[in-house]
Amino acid sequence: MAGRDWRAQKRDATRRRLTAAAFAVFDERGYDAVSVAEIAHAAGVSVPTFYAYFRTKEHVVLPDQDALWIGDHFSRQPADLPLTERIRRGLRAMTDDLPPEVLAELLSRWSMVLASPALLLRAADRQHASTTVLGDQLGIDLTTSEGAADVVVIAACLTAATTAFVRWAATGGERVLGDLLDEAFAALRSI
């Protein structure tokens, strides 16, 4: 068991080192001008090592969702609420729980997304993948005809959330992210 803990710590340290190196070279030269080889070199690892941790350069900025973390926040929402409100409250709980240093990193990530077409595409892919993650966490069978309407609701909610993140980044984080989420969901409810 101690061997697994050591290996997990080493993997986490390498992932953090790769992420820090990537953001350093992105800040210096711009996201689009940096190659995977340059990130690997800056982190002191090989290119194959980079790909052992990240599928693409875009995944450094917008990694896959942490289903356990999402599930923890959504499991606290009352199941008798309408689906849109459960999602809004779950997302708000997630953003409200973020410490200031994580919010600052998140703002940096979304600022990069705004500046790069490749990252905008990754954001769309991530949003699509999040539909499945969120459906699983909410106990919705997305393959049934009854789940079809829920897929549309989840996708609309995630689009509202992405809009809030983009607005937040566009203003340099001047507004409270949770408030922007609430505004986006209010707009969603008004249609």
Side-chain angles (χ1 to χ4, degrees):
M1 182 112 131
R4 274 191 260 159
D5 290 344
W6 177 82
R7 283 189 285 277
Q9 289 174 357
K10 185 176 178 185
R11 279 192 305 274
D12 290 345
T14 301
R15 178 179 287 277
R16 284 191 305 274
R17 191 169 76 240
L18 277 162
T19 301
F23 276 81
V25 293
F26 295 158
D27 287 344
E28 180 182 309
R29 299 190 36 234
Y31 173 83
D32 292 322
V34 175
S35 71
V36 167
E38 291 167 317
I39 295 168
H41 177 75
V45 301
S46 67
V47 171
T49 298
F50 173 91
Y51 284 114
Y53 289 86
F54 299 101
R55 282 182 285 182
T56 66
K57 181 174 79 166
E58 291 82 8
H59 282 81
V60 175
V61 179
L62 291 173
D64 291 332
Q65 301 287 359
D66 181 344
L68 293 175
W69 187 68
I70 292 169
D72 178 51
H73 286 84
F74 280 88
S75 67
R76 297 184 222 159
Q77 306 314 314
D80 61 339
L81 289 174
L83 182 56
T84 302
E85 183 59 12
R86 284 175 66 198
I87 294 171
R88 185 201 65 78
R89 288 176 58 160
L91 289 167
R92 180 75 197 235
M94 289 168 58
T95 59
D96 288 350
D97 282 353
L98 295 174
E101 65 275 6
V102 174
L103 276 172
E105 179 185 316
L106 192 60
L107 180 60
S108 175
R109 290 173 185 270
W110 279 96
S111 295
M112 270 190 243
V113 169
L114 281 176
S116 171
L119 286 170
L120 286 169
L121 289 173
R122 169 67 185 131
D125 288 344
R126 187 176 190 229
Q127 181 178 314
H128 178 72
S130 295
T131 301
T132 303
V133 170
L134 198 49
D136 289 345
Q137 295 305 320
L138 293 170
I140 297 167
D141 184 354
L142 303 176
T143 63
T144 66
S145 58
E146 296 82 25
D150 291 336
V151 171
V152 173
V153 171
I154 291 170
C157 289
L158 291 174
T159 298
T162 298
T163 300
F165 279 99
V166 168
R167 287 182 65 211
W168 181 57
T171 63
E174 290 179 10
R175 303 264 322 272
V176 174
L177 178 55
D179 293 347
L180 292 168
L181 280 167
D182 289 344
E183 288 175 14
F185 275 78
L188 180 62
R189 284 189 299 270
S190 74
I191 55 173

Short mmCIF file of all heavy atoms in Angstrom, two decimals, residues 130-183:
data_model
loop_
_atom_site.label_atom_id
_atom_site.label_comp_id
_atom_site.label_asym_id
_atom_site.label_seq_id
_atom_site.Cartn_x
_atom_site.Cartn_y
_atom_site.Cartn_z
N SER A 130 -19.24 16.64 -20.30
CA SER A 130 -19.80 16.91 -18.97
C SER A 130 -21.28 16.55 -18.89
O SER A 130 -21.79 16.28 -17.79
CB SER A 130 -19.61 18.38 -18.62
OG SER A 130 -18.24 18.68 -18.51
N THR A 131 -21.97 16.54 -20.02
CA THR A 131 -23.38 16.15 -20.02
C THR A 131 -23.52 14.73 -19.48
O THR A 131 -24.38 14.45 -18.65
CB THR A 131 -23.97 16.25 -21.44
OG1 THR A 131 -23.84 17.60 -21.89
CG2 THR A 131 -25.43 15.84 -21.47
N THR A 132 -22.67 13.85 -19.94
CA THR A 132 -22.69 12.46 -19.48
C THR A 132 -22.31 12.37 -18.01
O THR A 132 -22.98 11.67 -17.22
CB THR A 132 -21.76 11.59 -20.33
OG1 THR A 132 -22.17 11.70 -21.69
CG2 THR A 132 -21.79 10.14 -19.90
N VAL A 133 -21.24 13.07 -17.62
CA VAL A 133 -20.80 13.05 -16.22
C VAL A 133 -21.91 13.54 -15.31
O VAL A 133 -22.24 12.91 -14.30
CB VAL A 133 -19.52 13.91 -16.04
CG1 VAL A 133 -19.18 14.09 -14.57
CG2 VAL A 133 -18.35 13.29 -16.78
N LEU A 134 -22.51 14.65 -15.68
CA LEU A 134 -23.57 15.23 -14.86
C LEU A 134 -24.80 14.33 -14.83
O LEU A 134 -25.42 14.14 -13.78
CB LEU A 134 -23.93 16.62 -15.39
CG LEU A 134 -24.68 17.55 -14.48
CD1 LEU A 134 -24.04 17.64 -13.11
CD2 LEU A 134 -24.77 18.92 -15.11
N GLY A 135 -25.16 13.76 -15.97
CA GLY A 135 -26.28 12.82 -16.00
C GLY A 135 -26.05 11.65 -15.07
O GLY A 135 -26.95 11.25 -14.31
N ASP A 136 -24.84 11.10 -15.09
CA ASP A 136 -24.50 10.00 -14.18
C ASP A 136 -24.61 10.42 -12.72
O ASP A 136 -25.17 9.70 -11.89
CB ASP A 136 -23.08 9.49 -14.45
CG ASP A 136 -22.95 8.73 -15.76
OD1 ASP A 136 -23.99 8.34 -16.35
OD2 ASP A 136 -21.80 8.55 -16.21
N GLN A 137 -24.08 11.60 -12.42
CA GLN A 137 -24.10 12.08 -11.04
C GLN A 137 -25.51 12.36 -10.54
O GLN A 137 -25.78 12.24 -9.35
CB GLN A 137 -23.22 13.33 -10.89
CG GLN A 137 -21.76 13.08 -11.16
CD GLN A 137 -21.18 11.97 -10.31
OE1 GLN A 137 -21.49 11.84 -9.12
NE2 GLN A 137 -20.36 11.12 -10.90
N LEU A 138 -26.39 12.75 -11.45
CA LEU A 138 -27.77 13.04 -11.07
C LEU A 138 -28.68 11.81 -11.17
O LEU A 138 -29.87 11.89 -10.92
CB LEU A 138 -28.32 14.17 -11.93
CG LEU A 138 -27.67 15.53 -11.71
CD1 LEU A 138 -28.10 16.52 -12.78
CD2 LEU A 138 -27.98 16.06 -10.32
N GLY A 139 -28.11 10.67 -11.59
CA GLY A 139 -28.89 9.44 -11.68
C GLY A 139 -29.84 9.41 -12.86
O GLY A 139 -30.89 8.77 -12.79
N ILE A 140 -29.49 10.08 -13.95
CA ILE A 140 -30.34 10.14 -15.13
C ILE A 140 -29.81 9.17 -16.18
O ILE A 140 -28.62 9.19 -16.50
CB ILE A 140 -30.36 11.58 -15.71
CG1 ILE A 140 -30.99 12.52 -14.68
CG2 ILE A 140 -31.10 11.64 -17.03
CD1 ILE A 140 -30.81 13.98 -14.99
N ASP A 141 -30.68 8.34 -16.69
CA ASP A 141 -30.31 7.42 -17.76
C ASP A 141 -30.50 8.16 -19.09
O ASP A 141 -31.62 8.30 -19.58
CB ASP A 141 -31.16 6.15 -17.72
CG ASP A 141 -30.74 5.13 -18.75
OD1 ASP A 141 -29.86 5.43 -19.60
OD2 ASP A 141 -31.29 4.02 -18.73
N LEU A 142 -29.41 8.64 -19.64
CA LEU A 142 -29.46 9.46 -20.84
C LEU A 142 -29.79 8.66 -22.10
O LEU A 142 -30.03 9.24 -23.15
CB LEU A 142 -28.14 10.20 -21.02
CG LEU A 142 -27.71 11.08 -19.85
CD1 LEU A 142 -26.34 11.69 -20.12
CD2 LEU A 142 -28.73 12.15 -19.57
N THR A 143 -29.86 7.34 -21.98
CA THR A 143 -30.13 6.51 -23.17
C THR A 143 -31.61 6.22 -23.37
O THR A 143 -32.00 5.71 -24.41
CB THR A 143 -29.36 5.18 -23.09
OG1 THR A 143 -29.83 4.44 -21.96
CG2 THR A 143 -27.86 5.42 -22.97
N THR A 144 -32.43 6.53 -22.37
CA THR A 144 -33.87 6.24 -22.49
C THR A 144 -34.60 7.42 -23.12
O THR A 144 -34.10 8.54 -23.15
CB THR A 144 -34.50 5.97 -21.11
OG1 THR A 144 -34.45 7.17 -20.35
CG2 THR A 144 -33.77 4.84 -20.38
N SER A 145 -35.80 7.15 -23.61
CA SER A 145 -36.59 8.24 -24.18
C SER A 145 -36.98 9.25 -23.10
O SER A 145 -37.06 10.45 -23.37
CB SER A 145 -37.83 7.69 -24.89
OG SER A 145 -38.62 6.95 -23.99
N GLU A 146 -37.18 8.77 -21.87
CA GLU A 146 -37.48 9.69 -20.77
C GLU A 146 -36.29 10.58 -20.46
O GLU A 146 -36.44 11.73 -20.06
CB GLU A 146 -37.88 8.93 -19.49
CG GLU A 146 -39.16 8.13 -19.61
CD GLU A 146 -38.95 6.76 -20.26
OE1 GLU A 146 -37.83 6.22 -20.21
OE2 GLU A 146 -39.91 6.26 -20.85
N GLY A 147 -35.09 10.05 -20.67
CA GLY A 147 -33.88 10.82 -20.40
C GLY A 147 -33.55 11.82 -21.49
O GLY A 147 -32.72 12.71 -21.29
N ALA A 148 -34.20 11.72 -22.65
CA ALA A 148 -33.89 12.62 -23.77
C ALA A 148 -34.15 14.08 -23.40
O ALA A 148 -33.33 14.95 -23.70
CB ALA A 148 -34.70 12.23 -25.00
N ALA A 149 -35.25 14.35 -22.75
CA ALA A 149 -35.55 15.72 -22.34
C ALA A 149 -34.52 16.21 -21.32
O ALA A 149 -34.10 17.37 -21.36
CB ALA A 149 -36.96 15.82 -21.77
N ASP A 150 -34.11 15.31 -20.45
CA ASP A 150 -33.11 15.67 -19.45
C ASP A 150 -31.76 16.01 -20.10
O ASP A 150 -31.04 16.88 -19.62
CB ASP A 150 -32.93 14.56 -18.42
CG ASP A 150 -34.16 14.40 -17.53
OD1 ASP A 150 -34.92 15.39 -17.39
OD2 ASP A 150 -34.36 13.30 -16.98
N VAL A 151 -31.43 15.33 -21.19
CA VAL A 151 -30.19 15.63 -21.92
C VAL A 151 -30.22 17.07 -22.42
O VAL A 151 -29.24 17.81 -22.30
CB VAL A 151 -29.97 14.65 -23.11
CG1 VAL A 151 -28.80 15.10 -23.96
CG2 VAL A 151 -29.75 13.24 -22.60
N VAL A 152 -31.35 17.48 -22.96
CA VAL A 152 -31.50 18.84 -23.46
C VAL A 152 -31.36 19.84 -22.31
O VAL A 152 -30.67 20.85 -22.43
CB VAL A 152 -32.85 19.02 -24.19
CG1 VAL A 152 -33.09 20.47 -24.56
CG2 VAL A 152 -32.90 18.14 -25.43
N VAL A 153 -31.99 19.55 -21.17
CA VAL A 153 -31.92 20.44 -20.01
C VAL A 153 -30.47 20.53 -19.51
O VAL A 153 -29.96 21.63 -19.25
CB VAL A 153 -32.86 19.97 -18.89
CG1 VAL A 153 -32.62 20.75 -17.60
CG2 VAL A 153 -34.31 20.10 -19.34
N ILE A 154 -29.81 19.39 -19.38
CA ILE A 154 -28.42 19.39 -18.90
C ILE A 154 -27.53 20.17 -19.86
O ILE A 154 -26.71 21.00 -19.44
CB ILE A 154 -27.90 17.94 -18.71
CG1 ILE A 154 -28.62 17.28 -17.54
CG2 ILE A 154 -26.40 17.94 -18.48
CD1 ILE A 154 -28.36 15.78 -17.43
N ALA A 155 -27.68 19.93 -21.17
CA ALA A 155 -26.86 20.64 -22.15
C ALA A 155 -27.11 22.15 -22.08
O ALA A 155 -26.17 22.95 -22.15
CB ALA A 155 -27.15 20.12 -23.55
N ALA A 156 -28.37 22.56 -21.93
CA ALA A 156 -28.68 23.99 -21.81
C ALA A 156 -28.07 24.58 -20.54
O ALA A 156 -27.52 25.69 -20.56
CB ALA A 156 -30.19 24.20 -21.84
N CYS A 157 -28.13 23.83 -19.45
CA CYS A 157 -27.54 24.30 -18.20
C CYS A 157 -26.02 24.44 -18.31
O CYS A 157 -25.44 25.41 -17.82
CB CYS A 157 -27.89 23.35 -17.05
SG CYS A 157 -29.62 23.41 -16.55
N LEU A 158 -25.38 23.49 -18.97
CA LEU A 158 -23.94 23.57 -19.13
C LEU A 158 -23.54 24.71 -20.07
O LEU A 158 -22.50 25.34 -19.88
CB LEU A 158 -23.38 22.23 -19.61
CG LEU A 158 -23.46 21.12 -18.55
CD1 LEU A 158 -23.04 19.79 -19.14
CD2 LEU A 158 -22.62 21.46 -17.32
N THR A 159 -24.37 24.99 -21.07
CA THR A 159 -24.12 26.15 -21.92
C THR A 159 -24.23 27.43 -21.10
O THR A 159 -23.41 28.36 -21.24
CB THR A 159 -25.09 26.17 -23.11
OG1 THR A 159 -24.86 25.00 -23.90
CG2 THR A 159 -24.88 27.41 -23.98
N ALA A 160 -25.23 27.51 -20.23
CA ALA A 160 -25.36 28.67 -19.35
C ALA A 160 -24.14 28.81 -18.45
O ALA A 160 -23.61 29.91 -18.27
CB ALA A 160 -26.63 28.54 -18.51
N ALA A 161 -23.65 27.68 -17.92
CA ALA A 161 -22.47 27.72 -17.05
C ALA A 161 -21.23 28.18 -17.83
O ALA A 161 -20.46 29.01 -17.34
CB ALA A 161 -22.23 26.34 -16.44
N THR A 162 -21.05 27.65 -19.03
CA THR A 162 -19.91 28.06 -19.85
C THR A 162 -19.98 29.56 -20.15
O THR A 162 -18.97 30.26 -20.10
CB THR A 162 -19.85 27.24 -21.16
OG1 THR A 162 -19.67 25.86 -20.81
CG2 THR A 162 -18.71 27.70 -22.05
N THR A 163 -21.19 30.05 -20.42
CA THR A 163 -21.37 31.47 -20.66
C THR A 163 -20.94 32.28 -19.44
O THR A 163 -20.27 33.31 -19.56
CB THR A 163 -22.85 31.77 -21.00
OG1 THR A 163 -23.19 31.05 -22.18
CG2 THR A 163 -23.09 33.25 -21.20
N ALA A 164 -21.27 31.81 -18.25
CA ALA A 164 -20.87 32.50 -17.02
C ALA A 164 -19.35 32.52 -16.88
O ALA A 164 -18.76 33.55 -16.55
CB ALA A 164 -21.51 31.83 -15.81
N PHE A 165 -18.69 31.39 -17.16
CA PHE A 165 -17.24 31.33 -17.06
C PHE A 165 -16.58 32.28 -18.08
O PHE A 165 -15.61 32.97 -17.76
CB PHE A 165 -16.73 29.90 -17.28
CG PHE A 165 -16.84 29.04 -16.05
CD1 PHE A 165 -17.90 28.17 -15.89
CD2 PHE A 165 -15.88 29.10 -15.05
CE1 PHE A 165 -18.01 27.38 -14.76
CE2 PHE A 165 -15.97 28.32 -13.92
CZ PHE A 165 -17.04 27.45 -13.76
N VAL A 166 -17.12 32.31 -19.28
CA VAL A 166 -16.56 33.19 -20.32
C VAL A 166 -16.75 34.65 -19.92
O VAL A 166 -15.83 35.47 -20.06
CB VAL A 166 -17.19 32.86 -21.69
CG1 VAL A 166 -16.87 33.93 -22.72
CG2 VAL A 166 -16.72 31.49 -22.17
N ARG A 167 -17.93 35.01 -19.44
CA ARG A 167 -18.18 36.40 -19.00
C ARG A 167 -17.24 36.76 -17.86
O ARG A 167 -16.72 37.88 -17.79
CB ARG A 167 -19.63 36.56 -18.54
CG ARG A 167 -20.63 36.56 -19.67
CD ARG A 167 -22.06 36.77 -19.16
NE ARG A 167 -22.21 38.11 -18.58
CZ ARG A 167 -23.05 38.37 -17.57
NH1 ARG A 167 -23.80 37.42 -17.05
NH2 ARG A 167 -23.14 39.59 -17.08
N TRP A 168 -17.04 35.83 -16.95
CA TRP A 168 -16.15 36.06 -15.80
C TRP A 168 -14.74 36.35 -16.29
O TRP A 168 -14.10 37.31 -15.84
CB TRP A 168 -16.22 34.82 -14.92
CG TRP A 168 -15.41 34.85 -13.67
CD1 TRP A 168 -15.48 35.77 -12.65
CD2 TRP A 168 -14.45 33.88 -13.27
NE1 TRP A 168 -14.61 35.42 -11.65
CE2 TRP A 168 -13.97 34.27 -12.00
CE3 TRP A 168 -13.96 32.71 -13.85
CZ2 TRP A 168 -13.00 33.53 -11.31
CZ3 TRP A 168 -13.02 31.98 -13.17
CH2 TRP A 168 -12.54 32.39 -11.91
N ALA A 169 -14.25 35.53 -17.22
CA ALA A 169 -12.90 35.74 -17.76
C ALA A 169 -12.82 37.04 -18.56
O ALA A 169 -11.82 37.76 -18.48
CB ALA A 169 -12.48 34.55 -18.62
N ALA A 170 -13.86 37.36 -19.32
CA ALA A 170 -13.85 38.56 -20.14
C ALA A 170 -13.77 39.83 -19.30
O ALA A 170 -13.25 40.85 -19.76
CB ALA A 170 -15.09 38.60 -21.03
N THR A 171 -14.26 39.77 -18.06
CA THR A 171 -14.19 40.94 -17.17
C THR A 171 -13.00 40.87 -16.23
O THR A 171 -12.92 41.67 -15.29
CB THR A 171 -15.49 41.08 -16.35
OG1 THR A 171 -15.61 39.93 -15.50
CG2 THR A 171 -16.71 41.21 -17.24
N GLY A 172 -12.11 39.92 -16.45
CA GLY A 172 -10.94 39.80 -15.59
C GLY A 172 -11.26 39.35 -14.18
O GLY A 172 -10.49 39.61 -13.25
N GLY A 173 -12.38 38.67 -14.01
CA GLY A 173 -12.75 38.15 -12.69
C GLY A 173 -13.27 39.21 -11.74
O GLY A 173 -13.32 38.99 -10.54
N GLU A 174 -13.69 40.34 -12.28
CA GLU A 174 -14.19 41.43 -11.42
C GLU A 174 -15.50 41.07 -10.72
O GLU A 174 -15.76 41.54 -9.62
CB GLU A 174 -14.38 42.71 -12.23
CG GLU A 174 -13.08 43.33 -12.68
CD GLU A 174 -13.27 44.58 -13.52
OE1 GLU A 174 -14.41 45.09 -13.60
OE2 GLU A 174 -12.27 45.03 -14.10
N ARG A 175 -16.32 40.27 -11.36
CA ARG A 175 -17.60 39.86 -10.78
C ARG A 175 -17.43 38.52 -10.06
O ARG A 175 -16.54 37.73 -10.38
CB ARG A 175 -18.65 39.70 -11.88
CG ARG A 175 -18.88 40.92 -12.74
CD ARG A 175 -20.04 41.80 -12.33
NE ARG A 175 -21.23 41.17 -11.84
CZ ARG A 175 -22.25 40.74 -12.60
NH1 ARG A 175 -22.23 40.89 -13.91
NH2 ARG A 175 -23.30 40.18 -12.04
N VAL A 176 -18.31 38.23 -9.13
CA VAL A 176 -18.31 36.95 -8.43
C VAL A 176 -18.82 35.89 -9.41
O VAL A 176 -19.90 36.06 -10.00
CB VAL A 176 -19.20 37.01 -7.17
CG1 VAL A 176 -19.32 35.64 -6.52
CG2 VAL A 176 -18.65 38.04 -6.20
N LEU A 177 -18.05 34.84 -9.58
CA LEU A 177 -18.41 33.80 -10.54
C LEU A 177 -19.79 33.21 -10.24
O LEU A 177 -20.60 33.01 -11.15
CB LEU A 177 -17.35 32.70 -10.55
CG LEU A 177 -17.60 31.51 -11.47
CD1 LEU A 177 -17.82 31.95 -12.91
CD2 LEU A 177 -16.43 30.53 -11.37
N GLY A 178 -20.08 32.96 -8.99
CA GLY A 178 -21.40 32.40 -8.63
C GLY A 178 -22.54 33.32 -9.02
O GLY A 178 -23.61 32.86 -9.45
N ASP A 179 -22.34 34.62 -8.91
CA ASP A 179 -23.38 35.57 -9.32
C ASP A 179 -23.60 35.51 -10.83
O ASP A 179 -24.74 35.60 -11.30
CB ASP A 179 -23.01 37.00 -8.91
CG ASP A 179 -23.01 37.19 -7.40
OD1 ASP A 179 -23.52 36.32 -6.67
OD2 ASP A 179 -22.48 38.23 -6.96
N LEU A 180 -22.52 35.35 -11.59
CA LEU A 180 -22.65 35.21 -13.04
C LEU A 180 -23.36 33.92 -13.41
O LEU A 180 -24.14 33.89 -14.37
CB LEU A 180 -21.28 35.30 -13.71
CG LEU A 180 -20.63 36.69 -13.64
CD1 LEU A 180 -19.15 36.61 -14.05
CD2 LEU A 180 -21.37 37.69 -14.50
N LEU A 181 -23.12 32.87 -12.64
CA LEU A 181 -23.86 31.62 -12.86
C LEU A 181 -25.34 31.84 -12.62
O LEU A 181 -26.17 31.42 -13.43
CB LEU A 181 -23.34 30.52 -11.93
CG LEU A 181 -22.07 29.80 -12.33
CD1 LEU A 181 -21.52 28.99 -11.17
CD2 LEU A 181 -22.31 28.92 -13.54
N ASP A 182 -25.67 32.52 -11.54
CA ASP A 182 -27.08 32.79 -11.24
C ASP A 182 -27.73 33.60 -12.36
O ASP A 182 -28.86 33.32 -12.76
CB ASP A 182 -27.21 33.53 -9.91
CG ASP A 182 -26.89 32.64 -8.71
OD1 ASP A 182 -26.86 31.39 -8.86
OD2 ASP A 182 -26.67 33.20 -7.61
N GLU A 183 -27.03 34.61 -12.87
CA GLU A 183 -27.56 35.42 -13.97
C GLU A 183 -27.78 34.58 -15.23
O GLU A 183 -28.80 34.74 -15.91
CB GLU A 183 -26.62 36.58 -14.29
CG GLU A 183 -26.61 37.66 -13.24
CD GLU A 183 -25.58 38.74 -13.54
OE1 GLU A 183 -25.04 38.80 -14.67
OE2 GLU A 183 -25.31 39.54 -12.62
#
